[in-house]
């Protein structure tokens, strides 16, 4: 079975090769999250420099009554990505008479683990996992008649991983697969001082660097590539003009890498662009969603580092 290629791996191989053939080499950031990558991300969320996770959680905790009131009873909550987080539990604990909880995740193994755990903790909530890549087209289960309204929970500012074009097609798709009265609770990281942003992606302990390099470890293992991981270094900076943090892996030297019979050449100092993390002003974000959604409410922290926003469909 060792050399059997699954559909998922085939797709990954194509996306990876497409990206590495570009002049500015790139890799899709969704491939960070293998088992090791997910563990490294967990460690990132606990770093002093990484403010988003703890700030979002504090906003959620502080405004839970208001948020629960906005959502109302008997909702169908759809969560994009994971579902294991303490933020999910805060909502599951507080939302009265939740009709259904629908976690959407690309990793079947991971999602099943989470679902089994949550079913024990919340025996009254009907939990319906959907295995899908929410960055492309996906479907929601038809539970019509069993709930009052859908609320899509999309925390973590994961929307920041999409460029504007990808974000718009994501929002368009979401609007097309949800009910007319659907709403969304979304975490959005805000524009702020460059030093604070850059520190969050260049932590002193080097966890983000390890997280970044782990994508090459994964390609070596899953796609039989032969990246010399030691010959790349982590570079993350705020691109002010584009309003985004960029993460790159920079080749320390001229080198060649083999992947599926193809040779990929690197100059000394040449990089692979591995992630974008867009930062928004409240106005930027309202403009981004305005074709499909109205911003109903915005909750934030006292420094305005992060926002949690409640949107309704237009
Ligand atoms: C999970 C996409 C929100 O962009 O801040 C953290 C991922 N990358 N450190 C982010 C990430 C480097 C994170 N998101």
């Amino acid at each position: 079975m060792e050399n059997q290629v699954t559909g998922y791996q085939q797709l990954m191989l194509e996306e990876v090769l497409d990206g590495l053939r570009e002049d500015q080499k790139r890799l899709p950031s969704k491939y960070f999250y293998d088992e090791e990558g997910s563990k490294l991300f967990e460690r990132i969320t606990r770093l002093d420099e990484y403010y988003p996770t703890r700030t979002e959680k504090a906003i959620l905790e502080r405004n839970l009554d208001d948020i629960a009131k906005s959502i109302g009873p008997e909702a169908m909550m759809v969560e994009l990505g994971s579902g294991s987080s303490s933020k999910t539990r805060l909502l599951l604990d507080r939302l009265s008479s939740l009709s259904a909880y629908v976690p959407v995740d690309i990793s079947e193994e991971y999602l099943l683990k989470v679902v089994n755990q949550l079913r024990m903790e919340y025996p009254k909530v009907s939990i319906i996992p959907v295995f899908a890549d929410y960055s492309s087209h996906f479907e929601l289960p038809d539970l019509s008649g069993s709930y009052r309204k859908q609320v899509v929970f999309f925390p973590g500012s994961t929307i920041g991983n999409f460029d504007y074009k990808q974000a718009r097609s994501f929002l368009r798709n979401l609007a097309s697969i949800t009910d007319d009265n659907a709403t969304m609770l979304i975490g959005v990281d805000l524009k702020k001082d460059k030093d604070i942003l850059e520190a969050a992606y260049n932590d002193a302990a080097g966890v983000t660097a390890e997280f970044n390099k782990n994508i090459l470890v994964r390609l070596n293992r899953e796609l039989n590539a032969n990246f010399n991981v030691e010959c790349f270094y982590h570079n993350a900076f705020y691109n002010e003009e584009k309003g985004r943090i960029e993460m790159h892996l920079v080749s320390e030297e001229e080198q060649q890498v083999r992947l599926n019979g193809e040779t990929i050449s690197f100059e000394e100092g040449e990089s692979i662009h591995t992630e974008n993390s867009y930062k928004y002003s409240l106005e930027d974000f309202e403009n981004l969603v305005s074709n499909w959604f109205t911003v109903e409410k915005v909750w934030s922290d006292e420094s305005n580092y992060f926002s949690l926003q409640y949107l309704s469909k237009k």
Side-chain angles (χ1 to χ4, degrees):
M1 290 304 265
E2 216 189 339
N3 291 314
Q4 188 167 328
V5 174
T6 62
Y8 182 71
Q9 270 180 320
Q10 188 59 39
L11 191 72
M12 176 170 164
L13 177 64
E14 279 161 26
E15 283 185 302
V16 162
L17 281 174
D18 278 353
L20 294 178
R21 288 179 190 130
E22 296 280 314
D23 282 342
Q24 169 61 70
K25 294 177 172 64
R26 58 183 166 76
L27 287 169
S29 55
K30 64 182 174 190
Y31 293 128
F32 278 135
Y33 303 92
D34 63 354
E35 206 180 322
E36 181 61 19
S38 300
K39 280 188 197 149
L40 287 165
F41 179 67
E42 274 294 312
R43 281 174 62 196
I44 288 175
T45 66
R46 294 193 297 267
L47 294 167
D48 282 344
E49 297 96 329
Y50 194 75
Y51 62 85
T53 311
R54 97 175 75 82
T55 309
E56 184 180 46
K57 192 176 173 200
I59 297 168
L60 185 57
E61 277 173 333
R62 209 164 300 151
N63 300 285
L64 207 46
D65 284 341
D66 198 17
I67 291 167
K69 214 171 84 200
S70 300
I71 295 172
E74 292 162 52
M76 162 180 172
M77 180 160 90
V78 177
E79 180 168 1
L80 305 182
S82 99
S84 72
S85 75
S86 51
K87 295 170 220 163
T88 306
R89 284 181 170 79
L90 282 173
L91 282 169
L92 291 176
D93 288 339
R94 182 62 61 101
L95 291 176
S96 57
S97 58
L98 190 67
S99 290
Y101 173 62
V102 180
V104 181
D105 200 277
I106 196 164
S107 163
E108 188 161 344
E109 200 189 338
Y110 177 72
L111 194 50
L112 284 178
K113 247 194 238 163
V114 168
V115 164
N116 283 333
Q117 182 60 39
L118 289 178
R119 278 185 177 142
M120 289 195 284
E121 288 175 46
Y122 301 92
K124 286 189 214 145
V125 182
S126 135
I127 301 178
I128 304 154
V130 169
F131 309 110
D133 177 357
Y134 60 76
S135 68
S136 65
H137 186 82
F138 69 103
E139 305 283 341
L140 290 173
D142 182 5
L143 308 173
S144 46
S146 71
Y147 61 89
R148 280 183 55 258
K149 76 174 161 191
Q150 294 170 321
V151 55
V152 177
F153 183 43
F154 193 26
S157 200
T158 306
I159 193 161
N161 276 166
F162 298 143
D163 64 29
Y164 301 128
K165 192 172 163 221
Q166 292 167 332
R168 279 192 293 266
S169 72
F170 163 76
L171 291 162
R172 183 183 313 112
N173 179 51
L174 202 61
S176 80
I177 63 170
T178 50
D179 302 336
D180 287 348
N181 69 340
T183 60
M184 168 144 70
L185 182 63
I186 183 169
V188 183
D189 198 11
L190 300 176
K191 284 186 169 149
K192 63 184 65 63
D193 192 276
K194 187 180 175 139
D195 293 342
I196 295 166
L197 285 171
E198 291 189 338
Y201 295 83
N202 289 287
D203 63 281
V207 183
T208 309
E210 218 183 309
F211 172 74
N212 197 3
K213 288 186 210 170
N214 178 63
I215 199 167
L216 301 183
V217 178
R218 180 177 188 182
L219 300 187
N220 284 349
R221 187 184 57 245
E222 292 186 28
L223 300 179
N224 286 308
N226 68 347
F227 284 95
N228 185 350
V229 181
E230 301 309 304
C231 282
F232 288 85
Y233 66 88
H234 168 74
N235 184 27
F237 56 88
Y238 187 56
N239 181 334
E240 206 132 22
E241 194 201 334
K242 300 220 160 116
R244 68 190 192 200
I245 287 280
E246 293 185 16
M247 292 213 309
H248 293 256
L249 288 166
V250 188
S251 179
E252 302 257 17
E253 55 194 48
E254 186 187 324
Q255 58 178 318
Q256 306 202 316
V257 174
R258 300 276 298 166
L259 205 170
N260 196 48
E262 220 170 291
T263 302
I264 300 154
S265 301
F266 289 86
E267 308 275 331
E268 182 185 337
E270 186 179 353
S271 79
I272 311 172
H273 185 179
T274 49
E275 185 175 49
N276 287 318
S277 189
Y278 281 81
K279 309 302 170 189
Y280 290 92
S281 69
L282 295 183
E283 195 191 350
D284 294 336
F285 193 71
E286 185 151 29
N287 287 333
L288 175 75
V289 304
S290 66
N291 261 315
W292 308 277
F293 294 93
T294 305
V295 178
E296 300 285 352
K297 283 201 169 178
V298 178
W299 298 277
S300 187
D301 55 294
E302 53 272 31
S303 312
N304 287 317
Y305 278 5
F306 201 91
S307 67
L308 202 53
Q309 309 204 15
Y310 192 61
L311 318 180
S312 65
K313 245 173 81 172
K314 281 201 161 156

